[in-house]
Amino acid sequence: MMKNAGNDPLFTLTTGPVDAYPAVLRALSMPVWYDYDPAFLACFERVSRKAAAAMRTESIPLILQGEPVLALEAAAASLIARHDVVLNLVSGVYGAGFGDWAGRYCATVRELAVAYNEALDPAVVDRELRRHPEIGIVCLCHHDTPSGTLNPVDEIGCVVKRHGRLFLVDAVSSFGGMAVTPDSCRADIFITGPNKCLGCPPSLSLVAVSEGGWRKIKANPDAPRASVLSLLDWERAWLADEPFPYTPSVAEINGLEAALDGYLGEGPEQVWARHDLTARAFRAGLRAMGLSLWAARESIASPTATAIRVPEGVDEAQWRALAREHYGVMFSSGRGETLGKVMRVGHMGPTARPLYAVVALTALGGALNRLRAGRVDVGTGVNAAMAVIG
Amino acid sequence: MMKNAGNDPLFTLTTGPVDAYPAVLRALSMPVWYDYDPAFLACFERVSRKAAAAMRTESIPLILQGEPVLALEAAAASLIARHDVVLNLVSGVYGAGFGDWAGRYCATVRELAVAYNEALDPAVVDRELRRHPEIGIVCLCHHDTPSGTLNPVDEIGCVVKRHGRLFLVDAVSSFGGMAVTPDSCRADIFITGPNKCLGCPPSLSLVAVSEGGWRKIKANPDAPRASVLSLLDWERAWLADEPFPYTPSVAEINGLEAALDGYLGEGPEQVWARHDLTARAFRAGLRAMGLSLWAARESIASPTATAIRVPEGVDEAQWRALAREHYGVMFSSGRGETLGKVMRVGHMGPTARPLYAVVALTALGGALNRLRAGRVDVGTGVNAAMAVIG
Amino acid sequence: MMKNAGNDPLFTLTTGPVDAYPAVLRALSMPVWYDYDPAFLACFERVSRKAAAAMRTESIPLILQGEPVLALEAAAASLIARHDVVLNLVSGVYGAGFGDWAGRYCATVRELAVAYNEALDPAVVDRELRRHPEIGIVCLCHHDTPSGTLNPVDEIGCVVKRHGRLFLVDAVSSFGGMAVTPDSCRADIFITGPNKCLGCPPSLSLVAVSEGGWRKIKANPDAPRASVLSLLDWERAWLADEPFPYTPSVAEINGLEAALDGYLGEGPEQVWARHDLTARAFRAGLRAMGLSLWAARESIASPTATAIRVPEGVDEAQWRALAREHYGVMFSSGRGETLGKVMRVGHMGPTARPLYAVVALTALGGALNRLRAGRVDVGTGVNAAMAVIG
Amino acid sequence: MMKNAGNDPLFTLTTGPVDAYPAVLRALSMPVWYDYDPAFLACFERVSRKAAAAMRTESIPLILQGEPVLALEAAAASLIARHDVVLNLVSGVYGAGFGDWAGRYCATVRELAVAYNEALDPAVVDRELRRHPEIGIVCLCHHDTPSGTLNPVDEIGCVVKRHGRLFLVDAVSSFGGMAVTPDSCRADIFITGPNKCLGCPPSLSLVAVSEGGWRKIKANPDAPRASVLSLLDWERAWLADEPFPYTPSVAEINGLEAALDGYLGEGPEQVWARHDLTARAFRAGLRAMGLSLWAARESIASPTATAIRVPEGVDEAQWRALAREHYGVMFSSGRGETLGKVMRVGHMGPTARPLYAVVALTALGGALNRLRAGRVDVGTGVNAAMAVIG
């Protein structure tokens, strides 16, 4: 038996960074233009408009020059004023983490949390908002990636809007892989990144801001200006005749255009369907192999990433390292509270294709069997996946 | 259930063209230099020397500017004079086809053939050469790709040399994927192409010619000169201070350099081992799924391509089309006499990695089950492959 | 003063290979598909049709898998039968060279030659054809690159057709850079290559064959079949449901598609105009610098390459080497009879832009001054070029 | 006369973003790996070490995931505590701008300014520091790009250190194009970006921090933590076994490695020499054409960018647009106070080659002549440049 030749991964089936689509990789290698070259100014406006089309929203989303962590911090800094009361909805590590940013900018952050393998209940959110009219802003992580679980973002958005509050949504690892848009969930700030389901390398974010969102930001005396944390600086930067606050990442913008062309060309519904199919096939295989989801139930499991509960007595790091070393397949660990408890498999962008479910099951099962001989029947897993795939 | 999104293949598991290594693809996009630019002249000599290192031969191989079909025709035209008697050893479609080219250049081509799922026997070659002292040239296709079978080329080379005849070897789809070199088989002309196990796109050939080979070619009054079919024209073209007969394919030479760097960097033995492991795992899976090899026995099955006997009642074209359409996996058909009788799976270059055996089994089995419900148990196949992979 | 850093050329201003358009380079790095992948079969037909559009001809041109030298040899081999009488029109080294190929396939090649800095006269061709009714085929090199001179191909085509003879045209380095097409010159075989004015790397040819051309080839018992020299083998290969004679150069086909998209997208007339402007500016600069054209008069100088008469006492190789070493600019030497007598500058594809005329003048003049101090006034040359460019 | 074909720039001779080296563009298109893939962890450490080698410093520089504006803001936020007194040295728009960031983090920013076409005098800095022992931090922009002028950073560093103060240096557009390193100028924080003289696209920064710098940052209670503005978060992130604060820009890191390989391979002194030669040739040409530098004297003109004083009565935007539209050459405008007063030409990375000086002079002069007929003699400019180039 031999190891995967060389040191390079053969399949990157992580929850991000994921491998990029070939057309995106080629676009990254286009000649680099001056940001004020008329051709690049036109390009930036065109890409911004394509992002609006992909996000199915009228308002042109901002393209920020850093991966979504920048966008999340900038959104907190821009939206939240010091006297605001924020309700942070938490169903996982990323949701909880956002509370820390929120807490920097205001005195009171209320947290409404559920277990990290659970989803928030719109009715409970509704009750909380009724009880606390002082809450001005509600924050939610749609897909808490370290848990692989989805919250009912559209329903919660309905509740938030019924109460007339502002709604900030982290859709970083869900947008592009399922039916969620700024308008579907009525978000005032909707944050995503091209480095997940759109199949770009990490280094940009997309932020859609509603009219109400802009009003609040502009009224916030503490909203950053002349800062990389400023949303305001970028409000009009997408227009070809407006200046950039600072130099955009020219090569990555070219890559983003290729990704948006691919997404719109293939058809979002088609793209979502292959994310869903891949994840369903993978989950069926998991179950058949006797492994279980971290998510409390399948109905809240994300189509873009699956978190597997690490079996009793298995060292997750060792398990993951074996898959990488022996089969050349890279998976993601958990994060924070889920670290060591879950192993995660991405179904995002170019890897959201049914056969990658088979690849993942094989490498996972094979590595587990190397670790603890004979625990799982890979073939049974593959057959179960194939029964879904057809 | 949904089809593979878009029209693009997801996995190209064919017997060539195969997908290229990423480093090769990037090298193809280097700036195109003038062929007489001193930097390109140096590059061409350097690449030629690396090809010699990869082929483990002293004499610098020719790099011809066309895929191996050009090299095979040019070799026949250059080596074979009109009064020569040629022995063409045939164990498949490609071996037989070479006889047609040989027959253009001499009056007498004797054919020694075996069934197209069999291999030639060195003892029989020995007997033939003893009986026919008039035979001057022996021709052999090492790996007859349409059959997925190997001939014992080193042993036959021994026999040919013991009789003092010239030996022409087609190693197009074997070199780079197993332990065969011009010297190991004592070839006077050894033809291969970078578009198989070296993981380049098709468009170049490599031809190693022995001293005896050059002597014969130079003594051949009919050997082409000033022609794309000439080997002589290229004899000294690899030297940085010699002219090219015509313009070399600059971009492809850049790609070839990346491929040779990869091959030599990883280590040929390491590369061969992963070809072998992938093919063994795949064959084990096939058997477990109740499918059978075209090759009469496993000992002559190639580690770089597997020809599967198409089950009774199955339309190979339909089967293959389903794998492509439904799973995005492309396989090769048979050729000539094996067309319709075999389906072929490549294990070449970048696809010579064990997990591709699993991908291939899944797509093959899945497509067969769609065609004729319930015929094969994919999981059993995967388990058998995994038992080999470890 | 310092040399060009590194060993790489900074500007490749040769007569081919020229540098490729960036979009072509990126296309070369696309994933390599199996030639019988349905997506590639569709691609090959689509590219063939785009080539027909670019060549403004109804009949779909053949895409041959080798640079134009292959196409020229194949055309001679396919068209010329042993009893044919061929008239080879010669105004330079390439024209003369074609006579050697022609002479292999028929007993009688008549040559009508002019000095290698001159162009053929349609009236003289007319007289020759009237005198020699036995001539069946007339061959012409439109742009004899080693001389940088153009022949009046459309007018000569008129004459040839009035006499009812077949017309074979080498338009390798003219097509794509000026107004010449198979139909404009009434060619029965029209040969060009994407590696000149279309801005691709060398490795493919385009061959348009008229109905009369195909009739003649099919009637020729000696026309190669099952050979890389065969045109017939490729007649129907462009159709998505027909097989290839052998494996096409997949990556180069992708590059060709990008080149054709660029050419058709920019608009042929627009492309020709920038070739013409660049060459005119360059010639004006040359004259102003006291250098002279090789061409007997400017009216026959090609817009795609300029051959400069090497001044008395200057060693062309040294001059050219200095330009490369000191300024990083690569030019072409002469060939055959023009070797040492001319230095050549290409204006092809991506380098057919007016400012490259300035770059070329500067490097040429600078190198000459280093060789023979104070001979030329570069500034005067640049001003003259700028007077043309505007 | 015709415009540059298409909309694409032919030459990007700006002060950044500049075009990237071809090897960098190819590296951007490498497969995207998971940031915790062992191969990428090793890559990130390796690239960080190469950056240290390029910067000739022992301490491993931070690679921040945003263009240098991020690094400058983060450095101000991290280093400057609320009770600090900062001396901001100003000789141009960028230097002045840094004062705004500094002022956010402390109560007192003293500014020592000179005219924006002048350089700071170390003796004056010395006097200021003697007078103001309360100053703890001195900030300097080495090359104030909007002015194209250099400050004597090594000498000022000497002074600052003699007084025992901390020294923050913005070397964004100077490092890599001339002899300046963190150690040569004794910087405590030294900020640069790969998107200028290293020839990468914009999206990363390099920040070298001295031991004293880290001590100060760690003692600063207000230094950002868990923020994109934090330097501390990245202190140990370069180590392969330490986590990243957030996802690095994988593709850009690959590009940076190629750029560092190129820089170290060519040899920094060699690279600096071609920057210097290109700028000197360009300035000589300018003078000869009757144009003048913005810089008060040539000795403070940067070798990486030249700011040209816009002639009386010329509209800079119109002039620049003409060069772009008519010749396909893109230049930079001024910024802030220099906007409209200067046009700027970059000599950075791949464009720091002498012949680009000629290209720039031609396009500048040509455009000026189109705007105001007959103002400048381009040829005289080119001759003067060539006299420098040799």
Side-chain angles (χ1 to χ4, degrees), chain D residues 138 153-163 165-169 180-190 210:
Chain D
V138 180
V153 68
D154 289 358
E155 292 76 1
I156 294 174
C158 251
V159 168
V160 172
K161 285 293 130 183
R162 211 162 53 223
H163 287 277
R165 319 295 166 89
L166 290 164
F167 192 31
L168 184 154
V169 174
V180 65
T181 67
D183 294 358
S184 78
C185 66
R186 308 182 177 202
D188 294 292
I189 297 195
F190 181 96
S210 73

Short mmCIF file of all heavy atoms in Angstrom, two decimals, chain D residues 138 153-163 165-169 180-190 210:
data_model
loop_
_atom_site.label_atom_id
_atom_site.label_comp_id
_atom_site.label_asym_id
_atom_site.label_seq_id
_atom_site.Cartn_x
_atom_site.Cartn_y
_atom_site.Cartn_z
N VAL D 138 7.60 58.06 15.75
CA VAL D 138 7.80 58.88 14.56
C VAL D 138 7.31 58.08 13.34
O VAL D 138 7.66 56.90 13.21
CB VAL D 138 9.28 59.27 14.40
CG1 VAL D 138 9.47 60.12 13.14
CG2 VAL D 138 9.77 59.99 15.64
N VAL D 153 15.12 57.96 4.34
CA VAL D 153 14.56 57.15 5.42
C VAL D 153 15.63 56.54 6.32
O VAL D 153 15.45 56.45 7.54
CB VAL D 153 13.61 56.07 4.83
CG1 VAL D 153 14.39 55.05 4.04
CG2 VAL D 153 12.78 55.39 5.91
N ASP D 154 16.76 56.14 5.73
CA ASP D 154 17.80 55.52 6.56
C ASP D 154 18.39 56.56 7.53
O ASP D 154 18.59 56.26 8.71
CB ASP D 154 18.90 54.92 5.68
CG ASP D 154 18.42 53.66 4.94
OD1 ASP D 154 17.26 53.25 5.14
OD2 ASP D 154 19.22 53.10 4.17
N GLU D 155 18.62 57.76 7.04
CA GLU D 155 19.17 58.81 7.88
C GLU D 155 18.17 59.21 8.96
O GLU D 155 18.55 59.40 10.12
CB GLU D 155 19.52 60.04 7.02
CG GLU D 155 20.68 59.83 6.06
CD GLU D 155 20.32 59.00 4.81
OE1 GLU D 155 19.14 58.60 4.67
OE2 GLU D 155 21.22 58.76 3.98
N ILE D 156 16.93 59.35 8.57
CA ILE D 156 15.92 59.71 9.57
C ILE D 156 15.78 58.61 10.61
O ILE D 156 15.66 58.86 11.81
CB ILE D 156 14.57 60.04 8.89
CG1 ILE D 156 14.72 61.32 8.04
CG2 ILE D 156 13.44 60.20 9.92
CD1 ILE D 156 13.51 61.69 7.21
N GLY D 157 15.88 57.37 10.15
CA GLY D 157 15.82 56.24 11.08
C GLY D 157 16.94 56.32 12.12
O GLY D 157 16.73 56.04 13.31
N CYS D 158 18.11 56.71 11.66
CA CYS D 158 19.26 56.89 12.56
C CYS D 158 18.94 57.90 13.66
O CYS D 158 19.18 57.67 14.84
CB CYS D 158 20.44 57.44 11.76
SG CYS D 158 21.74 56.25 11.54
N VAL D 159 18.39 59.02 13.20
CA VAL D 159 18.04 60.08 14.14
C VAL D 159 17.01 59.59 15.16
O VAL D 159 17.16 59.74 16.38
CB VAL D 159 17.48 61.30 13.35
CG1 VAL D 159 16.84 62.30 14.31
CG2 VAL D 159 18.59 61.93 12.51
N VAL D 160 15.96 58.96 14.64
CA VAL D 160 14.88 58.48 15.52
C VAL D 160 15.43 57.52 16.56
O VAL D 160 15.10 57.59 17.75
CB VAL D 160 13.76 57.81 14.68
CG1 VAL D 160 12.73 57.15 15.59
CG2 VAL D 160 13.10 58.83 13.76
N LYS D 161 16.29 56.63 16.11
CA LYS D 161 16.83 55.62 17.04
C LYS D 161 17.81 56.24 18.04
O LYS D 161 17.87 55.80 19.19
CB LYS D 161 17.51 54.50 16.24
CG LYS D 161 16.52 53.57 15.57
CD LYS D 161 15.73 52.78 16.62
CE LYS D 161 14.24 52.86 16.36
NZ LYS D 161 13.46 52.17 17.39
N ARG D 162 18.54 57.25 17.55
CA ARG D 162 19.45 57.92 18.48
C ARG D 162 18.67 58.54 19.64
O ARG D 162 19.14 58.59 20.76
CB ARG D 162 20.23 59.01 17.73
CG ARG D 162 21.62 59.25 18.29
CD ARG D 162 22.50 59.98 17.29
NE ARG D 162 21.85 61.19 16.82
CZ ARG D 162 21.82 61.60 15.54
NH1 ARG D 162 22.41 60.88 14.60
NH2 ARG D 162 21.21 62.70 15.20
N HIS D 163 17.43 58.93 19.30
CA HIS D 163 16.59 59.50 20.35
C HIS D 163 15.76 58.44 21.07
O HIS D 163 14.96 58.76 21.95
CB HIS D 163 15.64 60.54 19.74
CG HIS D 163 16.34 61.82 19.36
ND1 HIS D 163 16.60 62.81 20.27
CD2 HIS D 163 16.87 62.24 18.18
CE1 HIS D 163 17.24 63.80 19.65
NE2 HIS D 163 17.43 63.48 18.38
N ARG D 165 13.28 56.64 19.99
CA ARG D 165 11.84 56.61 19.73
C ARG D 165 11.50 55.44 18.80
O ARG D 165 12.38 54.84 18.19
CB ARG D 165 11.38 57.92 19.07
CG ARG D 165 12.01 59.17 19.63
CD ARG D 165 11.66 59.46 21.09
NE ARG D 165 12.57 60.47 21.65
CZ ARG D 165 12.34 61.78 21.58
NH1 ARG D 165 11.27 62.25 20.99
NH2 ARG D 165 13.21 62.64 22.11
N LEU D 166 10.23 55.14 18.70
CA LEU D 166 9.78 54.10 17.77
C LEU D 166 9.60 54.72 16.39
O LEU D 166 9.19 55.87 16.25
CB LEU D 166 8.46 53.49 18.25
CG LEU D 166 8.60 52.62 19.51
CD1 LEU D 166 7.23 52.38 20.16
CD2 LEU D 166 9.26 51.28 19.17
N PHE D 167 9.84 53.90 15.37
CA PHE D 167 9.83 54.42 14.01
C PHE D 167 8.91 53.55 13.15
O PHE D 167 9.13 52.34 13.02
CB PHE D 167 11.27 54.41 13.46
CG PHE D 167 11.47 55.18 12.18
CD1 PHE D 167 10.71 56.30 11.87
CD2 PHE D 167 12.46 54.79 11.27
CE1 PHE D 167 10.92 57.01 10.69
CE2 PHE D 167 12.67 55.49 10.09
CZ PHE D 167 11.90 56.61 9.80
N LEU D 168 7.89 54.18 12.59
CA LEU D 168 6.94 53.47 11.72
C LEU D 168 7.16 53.96 10.28
O LEU D 168 7.08 55.17 10.02
CB LEU D 168 5.52 53.74 12.19
CG LEU D 168 4.38 53.01 11.47
CD1 LEU D 168 3.17 52.87 12.38
CD2 LEU D 168 3.98 53.70 10.18
N VAL D 169 7.45 53.05 9.37
CA VAL D 169 7.79 53.43 7.99
C VAL D 169 6.82 52.82 6.99
O VAL D 169 6.58 51.61 7.00
CB VAL D 169 9.23 52.99 7.64
CG1 VAL D 169 9.54 53.25 6.17
CG2 VAL D 169 10.24 53.70 8.54
N VAL D 180 16.14 49.58 0.24
CA VAL D 180 15.58 49.94 1.55
C VAL D 180 15.04 48.67 2.19
O VAL D 180 14.40 47.85 1.52
CB VAL D 180 14.48 51.01 1.44
CG1 VAL D 180 13.25 50.50 0.68
CG2 VAL D 180 14.07 51.50 2.82
N THR D 181 15.35 48.48 3.46
CA THR D 181 14.85 47.32 4.19
C THR D 181 14.48 47.78 5.60
O THR D 181 14.89 48.87 6.03
CB THR D 181 15.91 46.20 4.30
OG1 THR D 181 16.97 46.69 5.15
CG2 THR D 181 16.46 45.81 2.94
N PRO D 182 13.75 46.93 6.33
CA PRO D 182 13.41 47.29 7.71
C PRO D 182 14.67 47.60 8.53
O PRO D 182 14.67 48.55 9.33
CB PRO D 182 12.72 46.03 8.24
CG PRO D 182 12.17 45.35 7.04
CD PRO D 182 13.12 45.66 5.92
N ASP D 183 15.75 46.84 8.29
CA ASP D 183 16.95 47.05 9.09
C ASP D 183 17.73 48.27 8.63
O ASP D 183 18.31 49.00 9.44
CB ASP D 183 17.84 45.81 9.05
CG ASP D 183 17.17 44.62 9.73
OD1 ASP D 183 16.05 44.78 10.26
OD2 ASP D 183 17.75 43.52 9.72
N SER D 184 17.74 48.52 7.31
CA SER D 184 18.50 49.67 6.82
C SER D 184 17.96 50.96 7.42
O SER D 184 18.71 51.91 7.65
CB SER D 184 18.45 49.73 5.28
OG SER D 184 17.23 50.26 4.82
N CYS D 185 16.67 51.02 7.67
CA CYS D 185 16.09 52.26 8.20
C CYS D 185 15.69 52.12 9.66
O CYS D 185 15.07 53.02 10.22
CB CYS D 185 14.92 52.72 7.34
SG CYS D 185 13.50 51.63 7.37
N ARG D 186 16.03 50.97 10.23
CA ARG D 186 15.78 50.75 11.67
C ARG D 186 14.31 50.92 12.05
O ARG D 186 13.98 51.48 13.10
CB ARG D 186 16.63 51.72 12.50
CG ARG D 186 18.10 51.65 12.10
CD ARG D 186 18.94 52.55 12.93
NE ARG D 186 20.36 52.41 12.56
CZ ARG D 186 21.34 52.73 13.36
NH1 ARG D 186 21.08 53.19 14.58
NH2 ARG D 186 22.59 52.58 12.98
N ALA D 187 13.46 50.45 11.18
CA ALA D 187 12.04 50.61 11.44
C ALA D 187 11.55 49.67 12.52
O ALA D 187 12.01 48.52 12.60
CB ALA D 187 11.24 50.35 10.16
N ASP D 188 10.62 50.11 13.33
CA ASP D 188 9.94 49.22 14.27
C ASP D 188 8.73 48.59 13.62
O ASP D 188 8.37 47.47 13.92
CB ASP D 188 9.58 49.99 15.55
CG ASP D 188 10.83 50.42 16.27
OD1 ASP D 188 11.54 49.53 16.78
OD2 ASP D 188 11.15 51.62 16.26
N ILE D 189 8.13 49.35 12.76
CA ILE D 189 7.11 48.76 11.89
C ILE D 189 7.44 49.24 10.47
O ILE D 189 7.60 50.43 10.23
CB ILE D 189 5.68 49.19 12.27
CG1 ILE D 189 5.35 48.69 13.69
CG2 ILE D 189 4.68 48.63 11.27
CD1 ILE D 189 3.87 48.73 14.02
N PHE D 190 7.54 48.28 9.57
CA PHE D 190 7.92 48.56 8.19
C PHE D 190 6.85 47.91 7.32
O PHE D 190 6.67 46.69 7.35
CB PHE D 190 9.30 47.94 7.93
CG PHE D 190 9.86 48.16 6.54
CD1 PHE D 190 10.75 49.20 6.30
CD2 PHE D 190 9.55 47.28 5.50
CE1 PHE D 190 11.32 49.38 5.03
CE2 PHE D 190 10.11 47.47 4.23
CZ PHE D 190 11.00 48.51 4.00
N SER D 210 9.68 45.11 14.63
CA SER D 210 10.89 44.87 15.44
C SER D 210 10.49 44.33 16.82
O SER D 210 9.32 44.39 17.21
CB SER D 210 11.66 46.17 15.61
OG SER D 210 10.96 47.02 16.50
#
